[in-house]
Amino acid sequence: MNRLLDTESSLLLIERIACIGVIVSSIEWWGIAPQLSNKGLFSWDVLKLRRGGILLGPLGRLVDKVFEHPVVLFIPTARLLLASWLVLGVQSAVMRAVMIAALSAMTRLLYVRVPLGHDGSDQMASLILLVSAIGRSIPSPQAKSFAVIFIGLQGCVAYAAAGWAKRSAEGWRSGALLQKILTTSTYGAPVIGRYVGRRAFGLLSKGLLTWQCTFPLVLVLPERLAYLSLACGVVFHVANAALMGLNTFVWSFIATYPAILYTRGVAHELVQALWTRITV
Amino acid sequence: MNDIIDALLLIFFSAWLIATILGQWNAASHRRERFPWVRRYDRFGLIPTWTFFAPRPATTDIHLLYRDKLAVGAMTPWTEAIVVEPRRFLHIVWNPSKRQRKMVSDTVGALFRDLSVYSSGAKRGKRVGPLRIPKDFHTTWPYLILLHYVSSLSRLPGCAATQFALFRSGGDPEEGGAEPQPVFISALHTL
């Protein structure tokens, strides 16, 4: 048995960590609630004009009623309540499946109401909730296992894609782009440039690219190296939260780690079974 | 029966994963789009974009500013509509202002994409610059989002019209950073 946790325990842990991120995100939406009003940046009056399509008639009036401030605040409220309940623990399998599906639907609804302004942590949280809801809803013994493996592989693809896309730019390889990003006010702090030299940015950038590009190897590396790679991930996300303000990435990306470890276990079992078959 | 469900589920997740991997080539591509059909058929936004800050990240700050035309005809000075909050240690756990910042960043990105479409559609030899607004451009969605926001801000009585601008600041820190430069100025709109 190469798996640290069984399927159900892995899925529970993934959901709980992702739900902590949903709780933080929902409270943050409440923190900027006035911006969802018709005088705010996320005004439904103007966001509904996307693609020039406005729903008319009774359905349009209903959508307007639901998406206008303050009624729209039911979305972050429902997300907050559902996620809190899921973190605290719902024992019934049916109830948990229903709540995860409801939380996933609320998260999708938020995307419909506010199509812009979401980041990668929202993408990952939304994906985890949807896949988890599918895994829990389908009456098959393998459904949950497939869901966990899918989340684990998406985590690996996420890091590798970010790494390989950066690798194609000379500025990333030299560290110049990392320095420029971290010295903006939006995703860093201008003061960082005063204390960290270009050479240090170059080393940091090379290290980041190497770690991200080779991240999927975590599935086949020896146990200690796999844990070391995941520990680098934790440090990376905490540093991003502190330096870049990307706080919710910590929860939604670390939520994939139990899935990555589970997938790693399954991969090792498959290799062992194959080896036994060949050698016996 | 369970075997059939498992097989269908395996096909579904495998197809989703392959589509995700192919979808990353579009986002990471410098030049032409590869596998554009992946995102074209992604009606429900199921294909994530994992190529964060790559290959060409934003390396400058964009500021949304506005100014009003008073009824007497004078213009007020440019004022920042959304002030970027300085980085604080608390942001490690709590950072609600990132939503506004990302909303402005996404809207500005969409505005410049629309602007390039308008520019490419302009008469040959008459390229439309960022400081010259093409005809009908004020009806585009990103323009309306920014205009609606600055128009809704509370202001003193006596303002007859408003306009917004996007300024770019920052740049290479070793060169001392660039002074804020206007990259887009809207028309004046009656309040």
Side-chain angles (χ1 to χ4, degrees):
Chain A
M1 184 76 173
N2 285 300
R3 298 177 211 176
L4 192 69
L5 293 171
D6 61 33
T7 311
E8 178 60 31
S9 307
S10 299
L11 194 54
L12 265 175
L13 190 56
I14 295 162
E15 288 166 357
R16 282 184 170 153
I17 300 171
C19 281
I20 294 172
V22 174
I23 292 170
V24 174
S25 155
S26 304
I27 302 172
E28 284 181 346
W29 274 109
W30 264 99
I32 53 163
Q35 294 295 339
L36 286 160
S37 76
N38 277 339
K39 287 193 164 187
L41 191 59
F42 305 98
S43 158
W44 179 239
D45 265 0
V46 66
L47 288 184
K48 70 179 173 186
L49 302 176
R50 188 187 189 194
R51 292 174 189 150
I54 308 172
L55 280 172
L56 298 171
L59 183 63
R61 282 195 293 276
L62 177 71
V63 171
D64 283 350
K65 270 208 161 33
V66 170
F67 280 165
E68 271 174 7
H69 188 271
V71 181
V72 67
L73 291 172
F74 86 92
I75 302 177
T77 309
R79 289 176 83 230
L80 176 64
L81 293 175
L82 287 164
S84 305
W85 207 344
L86 286 160
V87 169
L88 292 173
V90 178
Q91 300 302 321
S92 153
V94 175
M95 196 62 188
R96 202 165 177 91
V98 169
M99 289 177 78
I100 283 280
L103 183 55
S104 176
M106 283 293 153
T107 303
R108 290 269 141 193
L109 200 60
L110 189 61
Y111 268 89
V112 175
R113 169 60 176 82
V114 187
L116 300 174
H118 299 277
D119 61 22
S121 69
D122 298 313
Q123 280 190 85
M124 186 55 96
S126 170
L127 183 134
I128 289 173
L129 295 174
L130 180 60
V131 172
S132 179
I134 294 170
R136 287 197 180 277
S137 311
I138 291 177
S140 135
Q142 290 298 322
K144 283 184 205 166
S145 182
F146 287 162
V148 175
I149 292 170
F150 181 75
I151 293 168
L153 292 176
Q154 281 283 356
C156 291
V157 171
Y159 287 115
W164 286 97
K166 287 186 186 84
R167 205 179 162 277
S168 64
E170 163 53 30
W172 271 111
R173 296 194 297 272
S174 69
L177 282 172
L178 183 65
Q179 181 175 19
K180 284 179 180 176
I181 294 169
L182 288 180
T183 46
T184 61
S185 301
T186 313
Y187 283 115
V191 73
I192 293 171
R194 279 185 228 149
Y195 297 106
V196 187
R198 180 157 278 184
R199 207 184 146 92
F201 277 114
L203 285 171
L204 268 173
S205 200
K206 279 192 178 71
L208 174 66
L209 260 63
T210 308
W211 172 69
Q212 285 193 323
C213 290
T214 59
F215 189 85
L217 292 178
V218 80
L219 299 176
V220 291
L221 281 173
E223 200 171 16
R224 281 189 180 183
L225 285 175
Y227 282 120
L228 181 67
S229 186
L230 295 184
C232 287
V234 175
V235 172
F236 170 70
H237 287 298
V238 172
N240 281 350
L243 298 174
M244 303 177 80
L246 301 173
N247 58 326
T248 41
F249 276 77
V250 175
W251 302 108
S252 57
F253 274 77
I254 291 175
T256 65
Y257 290 9
I260 291 168
L261 287 175
Y262 179 89
T263 310
R264 184 181 173 279
V266 172
H268 280 245
E269 281 172 21
L270 283 174
V271 170
Q272 273 174 10
L274 199 67
W275 183 250
T276 313
R277 216 166 169 177
I278 293 166
T279 51
V280 175
Chain B
M1 185 62 187
N2 274 339
D3 287 348
I4 296 171
I5 294 173
D6 284 344
L8 289 174
L9 204 54
L10 188 62
I11 293 167
F12 171 71
F13 279 136
S14 303
W16 190 353
L17 189 70
I18 291 166
T20 301
I21 294 168
L22 296 181
Q24 306 314 305
W25 261 280
N26 277 349
S29 176
H30 276 290
R31 300 173 196 95
R32 64 185 177 84
E33 279 195 3
R34 288 188 202 174
F35 316 112
W37 50 269
V38 172
R39 294 202 185 271
R40 199 183 309 141
Y41 294 115
D42 180 25
R43 301 275 182 219
F44 300 102
L46 295 178
I47 309 298
T49 303
W50 297 134
T51 51
F52 312 125
F53 297 97
R56 281 173 296 193
T59 52
T60 52
D61 291 309
I62 290 284
H63 307 266
L64 173 63
L65 292 94
Y66 71 99
R67 67 177 176 179
D68 297 331
K69 186 177 184 183
L70 302 175
V72 291
M75 299 295 290
T76 62
W78 287 110
T79 309
E80 245 189 299
I82 296 173
V83 179
V84 177
E85 197 184 358
R87 186 70 53 238
R88 288 189 294 156
F89 193 69
L90 184 66
H91 289 166
I92 204 165
V93 288
W94 171 255
N95 186 14
S97 65
K98 69 173 182 284
R99 298 266 170 215
Q100 287 151 276
R101 186 187 69 195
K102 186 71 168 58
M103 177 70 179
V104 170
S105 157
D106 287 353
T107 309
V108 169
L111 184 132
F112 283 124
R113 272 195 301 278
D114 283 352
L115 198 61
S116 68
V117 170
Y118 270 77
S119 300
S120 61
K123 280 181 186 173
R124 197 168 289 174
K126 279 190 78 178
R127 197 174 150 72
V128 181
L131 298 175
R132 288 186 62 193
I133 309 158
K135 198 182 167 197
D136 299 334
F137 191 69
H138 61 274
T139 59
T140 58
W141 191 50
Y143 189 99
L144 288 173
I145 292 173
L146 299 175
L147 177 64
H148 179 85
Y149 180 63
V150 298
S151 304
S152 304
L153 294 170
S154 53
R155 43 178 47 89
L156 292 169
C159 296
T162 192
Q163 72 178 150
F164 68 88
L166 299 168
F167 277 67
R168 195 188 296 277
S169 73
D172 195 329
E174 293 212 333
E175 291 163 15
E179 282 297 304
Q181 297 289 329
V183 286
F184 184 86
I185 299 175
S186 80
L188 270 167
H189 295 272
T190 310
L191 284 165

